[in-house]
Amino acid sequence: MTHDHPAAPQRGVSRPFGRVITAMATPFTADGSLDLDGAALLAAHLVDEQGNDALVINGTTGESPTTTDAEKECLIRTVVEAVGDRAQVVAGVGTNDTRHTIELAAAAEKAGAHGLLVVTPYYNKPPQSGLLRHFTAVADAAGLPIMLYDIPGRAGVAIGTDTLLRLAEHDRIVALKDAKGDLAATSWVTSRSELAVYSGEDALTLPLLAVGAVGVVGTSTHFSGLDTLRMIEAYELGDSAGALALHQRLLPLYTGIFRTQGIILVKAGLAALGLPSGPVRPPLVDATADELAQLRADCAAAGLALPE
């Protein structure tokens, strides 16, 4: 990391998508087809009962690798109709093909989305110049505010700090979902740009707040949304001890939801609560009885009940 960045601008607090955002599961029926009624019900639950300011639809937790473009568009329309008057709907549109990403962004905007989540192109591992070109092309073509998604563990390549700072100059690139796990790199981004940083790892939300993040795009927040909101608000009010106490209580669920691929346990937990979920689509597999039992234990350790 070089230290020859320009002087940091005066940073105001900007939360373009609120504080707590859940990357929503996509409910399916028993035969694996799309459950749009279930999606509307689940979205309403997350907004009205779990304190979410926004929802990401068609993220990885929404099983976007196995939903068709037509299904993605239907999901956005359904969720916008269900909660769009009281929460923002952010559409996951990122792929490893710039042209396809631009097409998905246009479809999401037409379907009523309020913002776009654009992940780093995965598997083909473009260089930083390619990432800059990709994200800029999407932002130029789109008419909605964009949240970049930096997750090198899945994409195979990180968005470099200098690349992020250049992208932050684009009027429509307003936020970053940060799943890099590098607090020093995030500190450079928050100190040298106006990007609103959202934690992309549930368990790192509080540490990231300390270096300038404004919220979380969560997975366990299907169940812990209200308490996570309380944690963020406590930190913002200067109650660092209260925020830490909530972080430590929720940690078993923040980490436990990822004992296997996150959506597997989210859907198991939603089903236990009687909420719309359904099976996962292959190549994912549904939770085993032992995994569900462990999830119940992790929820209990976090002070959250998951019915038998």
Side-chain angles (χ1 to χ4, degrees):
M1 176 65 63
T2 59
H3 289 219
D4 55 351
H5 301 296
Q10 183 65 40
R11 179 177 171 79
V13 177
S14 172
R15 303 181 192 86
F17 303 107
R19 292 174 175 84
V20 177
I21 309 166
T22 292
M24 193 181 94
T26 298
F28 298 128
T29 62
D31 67 0
S33 59
L34 201 59
D35 179 5
L36 291 175
D37 289 342
L41 287 169
L42 179 58
H45 170 79
L46 292 173
V47 171
D48 299 334
E49 307 298 330
Q50 284 294 337
N52 281 271
D53 301 305
L55 301 173
V56 169
I57 307 302
N58 300 323
T60 313
T61 306
E63 297 180 71
S64 59
T66 57
T67 55
T68 67
D69 289 2
E71 287 176 325
K72 288 176 171 64
E73 187 173 344
C74 287
L75 274 165
I76 295 165
R77 290 186 187 279
T78 296
V79 175
V80 168
E81 184 176 343
V83 300
D85 60 337
R86 56 197 188 277
Q88 293 193 71
V89 177
V90 181
V93 299
T95 73
N96 58 357
D97 172 2
T98 304
R99 182 175 58 180
H100 188 201
T101 299
I102 290 171
E103 291 170 354
L104 289 174
E109 184 172 358
K110 187 177 178 182
H114 304 108
L116 305 172
L117 178 70
V118 186
V119 72
T120 315
Y122 39 84
Y123 189 72
N124 46 11
K125 297 182 76 170
Q128 293 299 308
S129 58
L131 296 183
L132 188 66
R133 181 179 179 184
H134 172 80
F135 289 122
T136 300
V138 176
D140 284 346
L144 296 174
I146 288 172
M147 180 187 293
L148 305 175
Y149 184 8
D150 187 12
I151 182 165
R154 283 191 176 177
V157 61
I159 310 175
T161 299
D162 290 337
T163 305
L164 283 167
L165 295 177
R166 289 182 66 184
L167 290 167
E169 296 171 3
H170 198 292
D171 288 345
R172 278 188 288 278
I173 296 176
V174 300
L176 169 67
K177 179 181 178 184
D178 184 336
K180 186 180 285 179
D182 183 341
L183 293 173
T186 303
S187 298
W188 277 113
V189 172
T190 58
S191 68
R192 308 291 175 180
S193 80
E194 296 295 324
L195 281 178
V197 174
Y198 290 83
S199 175
E201 298 183 62
D202 299 18
L204 289 186
T205 303
L206 183 57
L208 281 166
L209 290 174
V211 297
V214 299
V216 61
V217 180
T219 302
S220 70
T221 46
H222 281 84
F223 314 106
S224 64
L226 278 175
D227 283 338
T228 298
L229 177 59
R230 292 185 185 111
M231 179 184 74
I232 295 170
E233 289 177 338
Y235 181 84
E236 289 179 347
L237 291 170
D239 180 11
S240 56
L244 179 59
L246 280 162
H247 164 80
Q248 291 175 336
R249 174 164 72 77
L250 294 168
L251 197 57
L253 181 58
Y254 282 167
T255 57
I257 202 75
F258 299 110
R259 288 179 185 272
T260 182
Q261 207 275 2
I263 185 56
I264 293 173
L265 293 180
V266 166
K267 282 197 161 179
L270 291 174
L273 290 168
L275 291 166
S277 56
V280 296
R281 284 181 175 175
L284 300 182
V285 292
D286 293 320
T288 65
D290 285 347
E291 286 170 337
L292 178 56
Q294 181 62 60
L295 177 61
R296 283 197 174 95
D298 290 336
C299 283
L304 301 167
L306 200 61
E308 291 290 339

